[in-house]
Amino acid sequence: TGEVTCTLPPGQYVVSVPGVVNVGSGERYVFNQWSSGYGSTNTTTVSVNGPTTLTAYYVKQYHVYVTDPVTGQSINGWFQEGSTINLPTTPPTVSRGNGSRLVFEGWSCGYPASTTEVTVNSPLNCEAQWQRQYQVTVEDVVVGLGGSTGSVVGAYWVNGSGVFSVDASSYKPGGNSVIPVTYSHAVI
């Protein structure tokens, strides 16, 4: 905060203060209004005929940058402290074709995927976080024991660079007795 006190002879004076005062990275004060009805521009004319007090009021603002590179949506601007912003609308999944998709996991600044709005109380810089998944289909290939080639046992979504395992120890092809199965490998 700053204060200026001065003694002036009676008369009219033009008083001006900065419209924007930057105070740090992503933080600033923006002129809002003068006291005593002197207006809402940062320059005003004051008639002095005796003791006069003139106060400049500022509001605090923070810079907000939120982006979602998958949907192309973003927010980029200055918002008043305490205001509420809506985060970009993000679908839970986005198909990428060929058995792959992206799953929305949340925001890089710590907000979970379920967050749709935030209160601005500091500078905010964050990006939507997505996880690539691949569809893995497990098929019954035990021919001659009740199973048939190409019979789908299950389809699963697996995180890229993740681990996928199959427990086939109790697998019953075609409803027959449990057959010990040795799982060799899968390519994800």
Side-chain angles (χ1 to χ4, degrees), residues 140-153:
D140 177 354
V141 294
V142 183
V143 181
L145 297 174
S148 60
T149 302
S151 175
V152 174
V153 174

Side-chain angles (χ1 to χ4, degrees), residues 65-183:
Y65 180 68
V66 179
T67 185
D68 181 353
V70 172
T71 66
Q73 298 180 74
S74 66
I75 299 169
N76 187 12
W78 291 91
F79 292 86
Q80 189 168 324
E81 179 179 42
S83 62
T84 301
I85 61 167
N86 292 316
L87 295 174
T89 304
T90 310
T93 61
V94 174
S95 175
R96 298 314 248 185
N98 296 325
S100 72
R101 70 181 183 180
L102 297 174
V103 177
F104 179 58
E105 293 192 325
W107 300 94
S108 64
C109 50
Y111 294 111
S114 60
T115 304
T116 59
E117 65 180 33
V118 296
T119 301
V120 179
N121 288 317
S122 63
L124 185 61
N125 185 359
C126 67
E127 183 175 302
Q129 301 294 291
W130 295 87
Q131 172 68 54
R132 182 172 295 276
Q133 289 186 334
Y134 297 95
Q135 189 171 37
V136 175
T137 303
V138 178
E139 294 180 347
D140 177 354
V141 294
V142 183
V143 181
L145 297 174
S148 60
T149 302
S151 175
V152 174
V153 174
Y156 309 91
W157 286 101
V158 180
N159 288 345
S161 13
V163 175
F164 177 71
S165 62
V166 174
D167 178 8
S169 61
S170 62
Y171 176 59
K172 299 179 182 181
N176 294 329
S177 342
V178 174
I179 298 173
V181 175
T182 303
Y183 175 73

Side-chain angles (χ1 to χ4, degrees), residues 30-35 39-41 55-58:
V30 176
F31 177 80
N32 187 34
Q33 67 182 20
W34 294 101
S35 62
S40 59
T41 61
T55 304
Y57 293 103
Y58 285 79

